[in-house]
Amino acid sequence: MRRTLDRPEGSSWALSGLGAHRKTLLDALEALEARGEPEEKIERLHDVWSDKLGAFVQEMQRWLEGGLAFGASAAELHALIDVALRRRLGLSDSAGSRTRDRELDRLSSEVLFSIQRPERTPSLWPERYALEVRALRRAEGETLLTPIGRLVLSLPERDAVRWLLAVEVAQSRGPSDPWRLSRAAAARLVAARRLRVFWYGSEVAAHPQSLDRLAALGLLSFEDEAEEALTTYELTENGAELLAEVASGDTPMVLLAGALIQDETAAVLDRIRAATALIQRESAAFAMTRHARMVAHEIRNALVPVREAIDDLFAALQRDGRGPLVDRHGATITGGVDRIFRFMTEMAQVVERAGPPPEPFDVAAAIEDALAALAEELGRVAFFDRPRFLPPVRGRRDRFVLAIVDLLRNAARARDDRPAEIRVAATLDADGAIVVTVDDDGPGVPPEYRKAIFAPGFSLRPGGTGQGLALVREVARAELGGEAYCEESPLGGARFVLRLPVDAGRSAA
């Protein structure tokens, strides 16, 4: 029969001696200091062990009772915990024999990793992860597979990993997101290739849980150094390739993930928040529009050198006296290439024309729809100083909402160290035009780039596509008859301004 130790009722017996273990910790750190260890190391160990000492003592007591210290007295158990603690800090204490030392080291290592990195236990996170990235959905007590999840199951292993990365990037809330890797984090990992991450509160490229998840997917290798309270991560060959891919921009998989995510959100919110559901469907349509544009652009880029090579080849054949061959097949070949160009252009144009016709709409209500649509993605709602009255403008409301969504996302990404402060306002200027401003407290846009930033393909952000602000200017100028420009914000970052004429017919009424 297993013998257990008497414990004070209503409290943890192990923690009743925590003060003594705290003294052991401080004595051990002083011993390291006397040994000449660097001050930075002493400070780091003090911070780390001060945070986890209680959990370490409690778990060591539980594990020791089940094996090495079975049947031991309270004093013997406390003494073994102190030995384990000092050995973990690099001091040469002994439990009495080499065998007991090895067993004590094994137990203390297991305890350290269980209290510090529980997410490394695969059984603890797959279902939660699947729910977080919307591969699964719970409805009426059931767990259902979403289109995102079905695609994971249908792909070969490497493409399934590529798809999961695309889904994460499309949903990420930034470097502190434990469930979704951000594009910026992927770019930093590719640039660094090797990271040494200190436990508890380290400022790193990505959340430690994301790093461990990438290791579980075979994209990173890792080595724990408990005594130094750090983990070293290194990109694998496969990881370097796939992370560089998602860091490079909107790949077809990232765009498809964005569309499916928006559609999934629309389905969940349907009949609950009609306005939000609407904008999510519009965002999905816009993602497919960008996809069509990207496909057309890539195919054109691939065919331009082909067309030039064909012309050179035909000229060479003509010089070699094989003109009849060129005459017989040249028109078919060049005509086929030209038809592909026309087809891709028409495909993008057709998708663009799929939206509703222009009509008068309330700018303030449209801004609120954009804020509602991004509330979950941004983790909070930006501050909007809603005006009491604004006359309507005329245009495609869905496109205006998408332009505001892009401005909000741009503002949200202005800072990497913390959530950006975002303020939105809409007012009438002295000439009767509506002025919409989106401010952030990020680093801002240098004056020399404030015009160029609206050009298609121009981006100041690594991995950016340069399409978001191009859409904003297109909507403001071509569709609403106004203007879009960038200036310095009172918050210290960037201010993006939309100046829009009101709908004369409605305002006159």
Side-chain angles (χ1 to χ4, degrees):
M1 178 176 178
R2 177 177 175 177
R3 176 171 167 258
T4 58
L5 297 170
D6 294 331
R7 307 183 184 185
E9 186 176 352
S11 65
S12 166
W13 171 88
L15 293 181
S16 67
L18 185 57
H21 294 300
R22 173 75 180 176
K23 185 177 185 306
T24 298
L25 170 62
L26 297 177
D27 289 344
L29 293 177
E30 287 182 343
L32 292 176
E33 187 176 357
R35 198 168 70 182
E37 295 289 347
E39 183 178 351
E40 181 184 1
K41 177 180 178 179
I42 303 296
E43 290 179 357
R44 184 173 69 249
L45 290 174
H46 180 271
D47 291 341
V48 170
W49 280 96
S50 293
D51 282 339
K52 67 184 174 185
L53 182 61
F56 178 79
V57 169
Q58 190 170 26
E59 285 299 297
M60 277 300 295
Q61 176 252 314
R62 183 173 67 84
W63 286 55
L64 285 168
E65 279 187 333
L68 184 60
F70 178 74
S73 67
E76 291 169 336
L77 195 57
H78 277 295
L80 280 174
I81 293 173
D82 279 345
V83 171
L85 174 58
R86 290 175 63 84
R87 289 180 66 83
R88 286 259 65 95
L89 292 169
L91 299 176
S92 57
D93 285 34
S94 175
S97 68
R98 291 183 180 179
T99 299
R100 292 173 68 84
D101 289 346
R102 282 194 293 269
E103 178 64 7
L104 192 63
D105 289 343
R106 184 189 69 81
L107 290 176
S108 63
S109 292
E110 293 287 348
V111 166
L112 273 176
F113 297 145
S114 69
I115 64 175
Q116 170 55 33
R117 312 304 290 272
E119 68 275 6
R120 284 212 178 132
T121 305
S123 61
L124 297 181
W125 58 262
E127 183 175 359
R128 170 75 186 279
Y129 172 71
L131 289 168
E132 288 283 348
V133 300
R134 306 189 194 184
L136 294 176
R137 180 178 71 245
R138 289 200 177 111
E140 299 179 358
E142 291 186 292
T143 302
L144 307 174
L145 196 64
T146 68
I148 290 173
R150 285 196 292 271
L151 194 51
V152 173
L153 298 179
S154 68
L155 292 170
E157 181 177 347
R158 190 169 188 274
D159 285 339
V161 173
R162 175 185 276 115
W163 170 241
L164 286 174
L165 288 176
V167 169
E168 289 190 27
V169 165
Q171 297 183 53
S172 177
R173 299 175 185 175
S176 61
D177 189 337
W179 298 103
R180 291 160 287 260
L181 185 74
S182 69
R183 177 173 289 146
R188 289 172 189 162
L189 286 168
V190 171
R193 298 193 71 87
R194 190 172 185 271
L195 294 175
R196 302 186 82 210
V197 179
F198 293 107
W199 302 347
Y200 285 89
S202 300
E203 293 293 332
V204 295
H207 192 282
Q209 182 169 306
S210 285
L211 296 176
D212 287 338
R213 185 172 61 257
L214 295 177
L217 293 172
L219 306 182
L220 296 175
S221 60
F222 70 90
E223 181 178 353
D224 285 308
E225 300 175 41
E227 289 77 7
E228 295 290 330
L230 65 83
T231 300
T232 300
Y233 295 91
E234 191 162 355
L235 275 177
T236 63
E237 183 178 347
N238 192 38
E241 180 180 344
L242 295 186
L243 290 177
E245 182 180 297
V246 296
S248 66
D250 282 344
T251 66
M253 276 196 172
V254 171
L255 292 174
L256 177 59
L260 290 180
I261 291 161
Q262 301 295 348
D263 290 339
E264 178 66 17
T265 301
V268 172
L269 297 177
D270 194 29
R271 297 182 182 180
I272 300 176
R273 297 184 65 181
T276 303
L278 174 62
I279 181 58
Q280 296 295 344
R281 286 192 294 270
E282 290 169 349
S283 295
F286 178 58
M288 297 314 295
T289 300
R290 285 198 298 167
H291 193 186
R293 284 175 171 169
M294 185 186 71
V295 170
H297 176 73
E298 292 300 325
I299 289 180
R300 287 192 185 105
N301 283 350
L303 287 180
V304 165
V306 172
R307 187 68 161 80
E308 293 175 352
I310 289 172
D311 290 342
D312 290 343
L313 177 62
F314 287 169
L317 290 173
Q318 292 279 10
R319 290 193 298 270
D320 290 345
R322 306 182 69 178
L325 183 63
V326 174
D327 295 339
R328 189 160 57 249
H329 300 292
T332 301
I333 295 172
T334 56
V337 172
D338 292 342
R339 279 197 301 276
I340 294 174
F341 273 104
R342 288 196 299 272
F343 174 79
M344 299 312 301
T345 301
E346 290 171 2
M347 183 180 73
Q349 291 172 347
V350 167
V351 176
E352 287 287 357
R353 289 195 293 266
E359 59 183 1
F361 66 88
D362 181 351
V363 166
I367 291 173
E368 288 182 332
D369 283 356
L371 288 167
L374 288 183
E376 180 181 356
E377 178 180 330
L378 300 181
R380 64 188 180 96
V381 178
F383 178 77
F384 175 38
D385 185 11
R386 197 188 199 288
R388 297 182 63 181
F389 170 76
L390 284 178
V393 300
R394 176 177 289 275
R396 281 182 52 181
R397 186 181 188 277
D398 61 318
R399 296 273 290 170
F400 175 76
V401 172
L402 292 174
I404 298 299
V405 165
D406 273 332
L407 288 178
L408 290 171
R409 282 185 173 138
N410 189 74
R413 295 166 182 162
R415 301 192 69 101
D416 290 330
D417 55 338
R418 60 171 174 80
E421 181 180 353
I422 305 171
R423 291 183 175 267
V424 186
T427 59
L428 278 174
D429 68 7
D431 297 326
I434 293 176
V435 178
V436 178
T437 57
V438 178
D439 291 282
D440 65 64
D441 64 342
V445 177
E448 63 269 25
Y449 293 129
R450 289 176 184 167
K451 289 184 179 179
I453 200 169
F454 291 98
F458 185 93
S459 177
L460 294 175
R461 184 178 297 110
T465 64
Q467 298 302 319
L469 292 176
L471 167 80
V472 171
R473 185 176 65 175
E474 179 183 332
V475 169
R477 283 186 177 180
E479 301 179 17
L480 297 174
E483 187 55 85
Y485 53 93
C486 175
E487 58 188 27
E488 185 176 356
S489 168
L491 299 180
R495 163 174 281 185
F496 287 91
V497 183
L498 302 183
R499 189 177 185 276
L500 311 172
V502 301
D503 180 34
R506 288 287 299 272
S507 59

